[in-house]
Amino acid sequence: MPEVTYARYEGAAAARLLGAFLPAYAEVYAEPPYGEGPRDVAEFAEHFRAHVRRSGFRLVPARDGDDGRRTFAVIELAVRQAWRRRGIAAALHARLLDGLDVERVTLTVRSEPEAGPARAAYAAWGYRKAGVSRPWDGAPLYDCMLRERSP
């Protein structure tokens, strides 16, 4: 059994961890007797963002040795227009992932047709669409893409 570690976070440090533990929250509270779904999870996240600003708020997650190291998220990958179609994005992507010891890589791309070239590049690099997200109120839709890593 992996070793479990505990750490305490307060304020802004705790706020930054919402995305890390929200999937666990969703899993636990989907079970009976709660039966919570996506709307409930979104409501919890909203309440968490309010509570974390209160004085004295603490978050103590329990993690195993592998937690947080199985997935790598590409947040931004951008190439200036004059440099596109030269393999630069592919080279940046390859160097970014080089040596990573993770099970999967995720990224998001806008859903509009104009994002088609980026979406096509990601597909050519082994990503597949895994879902759709709207990361914040009023945000456009994004396609969530996933790439499994070879062992």
Side-chain angles (χ1 to χ4, degrees):
M1 180 149 201
E3 180 182 343
V4 176
T5 60
Y6 306 89
R8 184 175 73 201
Y9 301 89
E10 299 176 14
R16 288 190 293 272
L17 291 176
L18 176 62
F21 73 83
L22 198 57
Y25 176 93
E27 178 185 325
V28 169
Y29 287 97
E31 298 173 5
Y34 310 106
E36 291 190 6
R39 181 174 291 147
D40 301 296
V41 174
E43 185 175 297
F44 166 80
E46 183 179 323
H47 292 158
F48 175 83
R49 288 183 192 100
H51 290 305
V52 77
R53 291 190 302 264
R54 293 183 176 156
S55 176
F57 180 91
R58 292 181 175 176
L59 173 67
V60 181
R63 297 179 178 193
D64 70 26
D66 292 332
D67 191 38
R69 295 185 183 101
R70 296 179 299 176
T71 304
F72 181 81
V74 176
I75 303 300
E76 296 289 346
L77 179 62
V79 176
R80 296 175 77 180
Q81 186 173 10
W83 293 88
R84 293 179 192 152
R85 300 239 178 261
R86 297 184 186 186
I88 293 171
L92 287 170
H93 181 262
R95 283 175 179 77
L96 180 64
L97 301 188
D98 185 43
L100 283 179
D101 184 21
V102 296
E103 295 175 18
R104 69 193 69 81
V105 180
T106 64
L107 57 80
T108 59
V109 60
R110 296 274 294 257
S111 296
E112 294 94 347
E114 294 82 6
R119 193 177 303 100
Y122 300 146
W125 300 342
Y127 288 87
R128 64 177 171 76
K129 183 176 175 179
V132 177
S133 74
R134 186 177 311 272
W136 63 87
D137 287 341
L141 287 177
Y142 286 79
D143 291 338
C144 302
M145 300 188 78
L146 173 74
R147 173 181 164 173
E148 299 292 340
R149 298 277 293 183
S150 303

